[in-house]
Amino acid sequence: MMVFKKPLDLRFQFQLTTLLVAGNPIKHISFSSVPSLAHSDMLAQKLDSQLKSSLSGKHCPNSVIVEAVRLFEHAVVDLMQVPFASTCNFLIETLVKNKAYGLAFDVYGKITRTLNRAQFTPSFLTLAALVEIFVHTHKPDLAFSVFGIILKRGFVINVYLLNMLLKGLCENGMVDKGVELLCESDGKPMVSPDRVSYNTLIKGLCNANRLQEALELRAGMETANLTPNLLTYTILMDGFFRADKVDEAIGLLEEMKIKGLEPDVFTYSTLVNGLCSKGMMNRGKEVFDEMLVQGVSPNVVTYTSLINGFCKKGQLKETMVIFNSMLECGVKPDTVTFTSIIDGLCKDGRVDKALQVFNLMLGKDLGLGNTTYNVLIRGLCTKGLLTDAFNILQVMIEKGEKPNVVTFNTIMMGLCDHGKVDDALSLFNSMCTGKDYAEPDVRTVTLLVHALCQKKRTCQAAEIHDKMMIKNKHLVDVQTFTVLIGAHLKEEGDVGKAMCTWKKMTELCFIPDSLSYGTLIDGFCKLNMLNIAKGIFLTMRNRRVFDYNSVMAALCKESSFGQARGLFQEMLNDGECKPDSVTYNIIIDAALKAGDLQLAEQLLTHMLQGGLKPDAFTFSILISRFSNLGQTEVAKKLFDKMVASGFTPDILVYDSLIKGFTLKEGKSDEILRLLHEMSDKGIVLDSKITSTILRYLSDTPEALHLVELLPNFPRQQPKEICVPNFLKLQSCSA
């Protein structure tokens, strides 16, 4: 085969040497200092034969592909051989067939840099392969450029290539360009699109939340005499669910049936998943049951959608029914299935069972990802089982799964929630400096700043905040600034620092939100700077319940009960900002302090009529106030109602009630019963209630007798949490 018009020695001045590398498939080939054209053809033929022989299989092992590319590059780049154009085309096309897109692009680049146009002209299949390469490497613009080369070479764009490019454009957020591609500027199509073309674009539009345009494209599809198929309807169903149009999504099922299309497993799975994701478990289960009646076998996606939905609802009994049904039908659970179950168990507080499921997954070698580990670590941290959480982190590292920033943020939250702020700080420093740790993000910084502020370490929090702000503006946000502003006001009482921080926030173009303004209002209220707080409150457009509550609490504190009631009435008249339990607690407490028992009872009745249930704090307020007023019978009834409502009285409630009984004669039995109840519940005495008990004993003639009847109370045992050394974790991951 002759492919060169000029003698080789006129194009290249070089001497080819014999390759003596052991194991090289082209060793023992020798060349004259100026090879003849026939000799060049012989070498090209040999290279062609070797490549086609090694890449003859339909699916080639990666090692064979790599060796073939190495052989080709050595011949062309190192030895400057000129291969046949057909060899170059074959290699590129074969690499693409085996999805070795990176290697294919590298080879194409080396060919075009080494050979001139006379030596290599890409075939149509090679150009088509280039389109596929650019689509899969997320370079749709380059793929689009190849279309121009194809047309310039006189080739015709076929529908397969069109669909390939459409897919690339849609997956890279360029759906508009995809729609334009269907037609040229004069309105005539470059190539007649098929159902795949339309379905690809409809899916792209749905994914971009452009449902109306997707529906219009379906109408255009019908105009082009292309009837929508099952996939079209399934894609649109998913689009309707994304747009929260559940009834329209279900309506498509009926439309399909009218048009003679029988839903398949993918259609039903889309419906079940959409309904479950919206929390509509009953309707999701109904569709699942219909699916079974129609003889369509659910797949792992169908089952997992139901399992995930029931887990999120806390319906673990229903979860296990579906899971067992899944196993009985021979459908193998995947990582997503097990992760959903672990998440549901953790949220239900059954972390021991979650660990069992996790160990089962390890035994089945399911290839756990970050999501599974993160879900379990979060569940363990929430329960305060930090040692177990770190053990799972260790397993994660040993299994070769690199923890991401979500993993470390979850652990940091667990440490902060359980008072281990210094350990959280150590973890943060490791994230900032350790190469094997995920870099902190804005959530990491916010968690740490908030934890330090809660521990009254505001200066340290501000130092870290400013350091991160200088390092990268995106490591702080409005929430981080708001936390710091609140701490300056409420913990330090330093208005100057708070306002300086507010100024920095606005200078960095962060726009204060309702939480920011609410924090200012709450802070000024706690500093008894009520006029400033009210001024900010009155200028706010979007007031929250929290903002009303802050101002009302401050007004009640300064005995401006009338103004507080005025704000309360304003909330009742507001269609959006209705009073919550905290609002009622503030007003009821103020009414009781003012001695207006009738108003307090009316407010409690109104609260219940509004669908709000008294919380533990409501009962605590009422019990405390009625006890102080000497109305112990009423207080005792409220106490019993509190317990019956599922609330556990805290030590303050017991102290209030005992104080109330000490004001009455002949109530020693009641006091002893309450003390024994506290002991049985493991409540540890604090200084306040101890003082109440001692004062009572000192005032009663029965003191010696009562002392003998007092129960034994447990002592406070500090809970130690074993926190591993972060540097050791780092060394394990290395």
Side-chain angles (χ1 to χ4, degrees):
M1 178 179 179
M2 302 295 291
V3 293
F4 306 116
K5 296 181 180 180
K6 299 179 180 179
L8 185 62
D9 59 330
L10 295 179
R11 295 193 301 274
F12 299 100
Q13 298 297 323
F14 60 86
Q15 182 174 352
L16 298 177
T17 58
T18 304
L19 184 64
L20 298 176
V21 179
N24 192 291
I26 58 171
K27 64 182 179 180
H28 307 312
I29 300 175
S30 60
F31 308 93
S32 62
S33 59
V34 183
S36 66
L37 186 59
H39 195 191
S40 295
D41 282 350
M42 181 187 72
L43 295 176
Q45 184 62 55
K46 187 172 183 65
L47 178 62
D48 186 77
S49 298
Q50 287 177 314
L51 290 175
K52 288 181 177 177
S53 175
S54 62
L55 298 173
S56 58
K58 188 175 182 181
H59 297 291
C60 303
N62 186 59
S63 58
V64 173
I65 291 173
V66 171
E67 178 61 22
V69 171
R70 191 195 67 78
L71 171 64
F72 180 84
E73 290 180 347
H74 184 77
V76 175
V77 178
D78 297 338
L79 300 181
M80 297 186 181
Q81 291 182 27
V82 180
F84 295 145
S86 61
T87 307
C88 299
N89 287 321
F90 166 77
L91 181 58
I92 293 169
E93 293 160 18
T94 304
L95 290 174
V96 170
K97 284 178 185 176
N98 285 274
K99 302 187 185 305
Y101 301 112
L103 282 175
F105 186 62
D106 288 342
V107 167
Y108 179 79
K110 285 179 174 125
I111 289 172
T112 54
R113 285 193 297 271
T114 306
L115 307 181
N116 59 38
R117 292 184 180 180
Q119 296 165 341
F120 171 68
T121 301
S123 66
F124 173 77
L125 291 179
T126 298
L127 292 171
L130 280 176
V131 172
E132 190 169 345
I133 289 169
F134 291 133
V135 165
H136 284 89
T137 54
H138 305 291
K139 299 180 180 72
D141 280 334
L142 294 179
F144 197 83
S145 299
V146 176
F147 266 43
I149 298 173
I150 291 173
L151 294 172
K152 189 176 180 181
R153 291 278 309 280
F155 296 121
V156 177
I157 303 292
N158 60 31
V159 73
Y160 173 82
L161 276 182
L162 172 68
N163 294 339
M164 177 70 67
L165 183 54
L166 290 176
K167 178 185 176 186
L169 292 169
C170 290
E171 288 179 350
N172 288 275
M174 301 169 68
V175 67
D176 286 327
K177 201 165 187 176
V179 174
E180 292 172 9
L181 186 61
L182 285 182
C183 298
E184 294 178 337
S185 57
D186 61 356
K188 295 180 180 179
M190 179 189 298
V191 56
S192 296
D194 59 6
R195 286 189 182 85
V196 176
S197 314
Y198 279 99
N199 286 342
T200 301
L201 285 174
I202 289 171
K203 183 176 181 180
L205 290 166
C206 287
N207 289 343
N209 297 317
R210 294 161 62 178
L211 180 60
Q212 187 56 44
E213 292 172 71
L215 292 170
E216 290 170 3
L217 195 59
R218 181 187 67 163
M221 181 180 184
E222 293 172 333
T223 302
N225 295 319
L226 292 170
T227 307
N229 59 9
L230 274 177
L231 182 57
T232 316
Y233 280 100
T234 303
I235 292 168
L236 286 170
M237 278 179 187
D238 185 58
F240 276 121
F241 280 120
R242 285 171 181 265
D244 293 326
K245 295 184 176 182
V246 176
D247 291 335
E248 288 87 343
I250 295 174
L252 284 179
L253 182 65
E254 300 305 318
E255 184 180 325
M256 286 171 61
K257 293 176 181 178
I258 292 171
K259 293 191 175 182
L261 294 171
E262 291 298 325
D264 61 6
V265 63
F266 300 106
T267 308
Y268 276 118
S269 295
T270 299
L271 276 171
V272 171
N273 182 62
L275 291 166
C276 292
S277 67
K278 300 299 178 187
M280 305 172 71
M281 298 309 302
N282 290 337
R283 295 183 76 175
K285 185 63 169 56
E286 287 173 5
V287 173
F288 178 81
D289 292 337
E290 179 188 327
M291 182 179 185
L292 297 176
V293 171
Q294 296 298 324
V296 180
S297 299
N299 60 16
V300 66
V301 175
T302 326
Y303 282 109
T304 301
S305 298
L306 281 170
I307 287 169
N308 189 40
F310 281 126
C311 283
K312 285 182 177 178
K313 287 280 190 179
Q315 297 174 270
L316 291 181
K317 183 179 178 181
E318 290 82 353
T319 296
M320 298 318 297
V321 168
I322 296 296
F323 182 69
N324 291 331
S325 172
M326 180 181 188
L327 297 178
E328 289 170 4
C329 292
V331 178
K332 187 178 178 181
D334 61 9
T335 302
V336 179
T337 315
F338 281 115
T339 302
S340 297
I341 293 173
I342 289 174
D343 189 34
L345 289 168
C346 287
K347 287 176 179 175
D348 196 50
R350 297 162 64 181
V351 290
D352 53 337
K353 293 291 184 185
L355 284 168
Q356 290 179 17
V357 175
F358 175 78
N359 289 327
L360 177 64
M361 292 178 74
L362 288 178
K364 290 182 176 291
D365 196 25
L366 284 173
L368 309 183
N370 277 58
T371 302
T372 309
Y373 285 105
N374 291 345
V375 163
L376 183 56
I377 289 172
R378 183 182 63 211
L380 292 167
C381 287
T382 301
K383 289 287 282 186
L385 302 172
L386 296 180
T387 302
D388 291 324
F390 276 104
N391 288 338
I392 297 300
L393 177 62
Q394 195 69 57
V395 171
M396 184 179 186
I397 294 168
E398 290 170 357
K399 292 290 183 181
E401 193 71 39
K402 188 173 181 179
N404 58 18
V405 69
V406 176
T407 316
F408 288 114
N409 284 349
T410 302
I411 293 173
M412 180 167 287
M413 180 181 287
L415 291 168
C416 293
D417 287 346
H418 293 87
K420 293 285 183 179
V421 178
D422 287 327
D423 291 310
L425 190 57
S426 176
L427 175 58
F428 176 75
N429 290 331
S430 295
M431 291 175 71
C432 290
T433 58
K435 63 176 182 177
D436 293 316
Y437 285 77
E439 291 187 5
D441 62 5
V442 64
R443 174 132 179 90
T444 320
V445 177
T446 303
L447 283 170
L448 187 59
V449 167
H450 184 262
L452 288 167
C453 289
Q454 282 190 319
K455 289 289 184 179
K456 303 186 187 304
R457 293 161 64 175
T458 308
C459 289
Q460 193 175 6
E463 183 181 341
I464 290 171
H465 177 272
D466 291 346
K467 183 179 177 182
M468 293 297 104
M469 181 175 62
I470 293 169
K471 181 180 179 180
N472 184 351
K473 174 189 170 182
H474 299 292
L475 287 176
V476 296
D477 63 3
V478 173
Q479 186 180 358
T480 323
F481 274 102
T482 300
V483 169
L484 207 50
I485 290 166
H488 285 315
L489 288 172
K490 288 178 264 189
E491 302 299 336
E492 296 182 326
D494 194 325
V495 176
K497 283 185 180 178
M499 291 299 97
C500 182
T501 305
W502 183 279
K503 184 180 178 183
K504 280 184 186 176
M505 178 173 68
T506 54
E507 284 175 348
L508 287 172
C509 299
F510 289 117
I511 300 173
D513 57 13
S514 57
L515 182 61
S516 307
Y517 284 104
T519 299
L520 279 182
I521 291 170
D522 192 46
F524 283 120
C525 284
K526 285 180 169 57
L527 290 174
N528 296 321
M529 301 172 73
L530 193 52
N531 286 335
I532 297 176
K534 286 195 290 187
I536 298 170
F537 177 80
L538 292 173
T539 60
M540 285 182 68
R541 292 181 180 178
N542 300 314
R543 299 171 188 167
R544 300 168 304 145
V545 176
F546 176 84
D547 306 320
Y548 275 98
N549 291 345
S550 296
V551 177
M552 285 167 57
L555 288 168
C556 291
K557 186 178 178 181
E558 68 164 21
S559 301
S560 298
F561 186 43
Q563 291 185 50
R565 286 188 66 180
L567 286 178
F568 178 74
Q569 190 62 48
E570 183 180 310
M571 293 180 75
L572 291 176
N573 297 335
D574 194 320
E576 297 180 1
C577 202
K578 293 293 184 182
D580 62 5
S581 298
V582 177
T583 317
Y584 278 99
N585 289 343
I586 292 168
I587 293 296
I588 289 171
D589 186 46
L592 289 169
K593 281 181 179 178
D596 195 339
L597 301 184
Q598 184 178 359
L599 176 60
E601 290 177 0
Q602 289 175 355
L603 288 168
L604 184 60
T605 302
H606 191 273
M607 180 181 183
L608 294 169
Q609 289 174 345
L612 292 173
K613 292 183 179 180
D615 57 18
F617 190 65
T618 315
F619 283 112
S620 299
I621 292 169
L622 292 168
I623 292 168
S624 176
R625 295 302 173 201
F626 279 108
S627 295
N628 290 340
L629 292 169
Q631 298 191 28
T632 52
E633 296 304 320
V634 178
K636 184 61 173 60
K637 287 180 181 178
L638 287 167
F639 179 87
D640 294 338
K641 188 173 182 179
M642 178 181 187
V643 174
S645 299
F647 297 111
T648 302
D650 61 15
I651 197 166
L652 294 176
V653 173
Y654 280 105
D655 184 54
S656 298
L657 199 53
I658 289 171
K659 278 180 179 174
F661 282 126
T662 62
L663 300 174
K664 301 278 187 178
E665 293 184 4
K667 294 295 181 180
S668 297
D669 289 343
E670 286 287 353
I671 293 172
L672 284 171
R673 189 186 65 77
L674 288 172
L675 291 174
H676 277 277
E677 187 177 305
M678 290 172 62
S679 175
D680 292 341
K681 290 182 178 180
I683 294 176
V684 179
L685 299 183
D686 63 8
S687 58
K688 190 174 180 182
I689 197 167
T690 301
S691 176
T692 301
I693 296 168
L694 291 174
R695 191 182 309 113
Y696 172 65
L697 291 173
S698 66
D699 292 341
T700 180
E702 304 174 276
L704 292 176
H705 172 67
L706 290 175
V707 167
E708 294 177 359
L709 298 176
L710 288 176
N712 293 319
F713 287 94
R715 294 185 179 183
Q716 181 69 47
Q717 296 292 334
K719 186 178 178 182
E720 290 298 326
I721 299 172
C722 177
V723 180
N725 187 299
F726 294 113
L727 294 178
K728 288 183 179 179
L729 283 176
Q730 183 176 344
S731 65
C732 289
S733 65

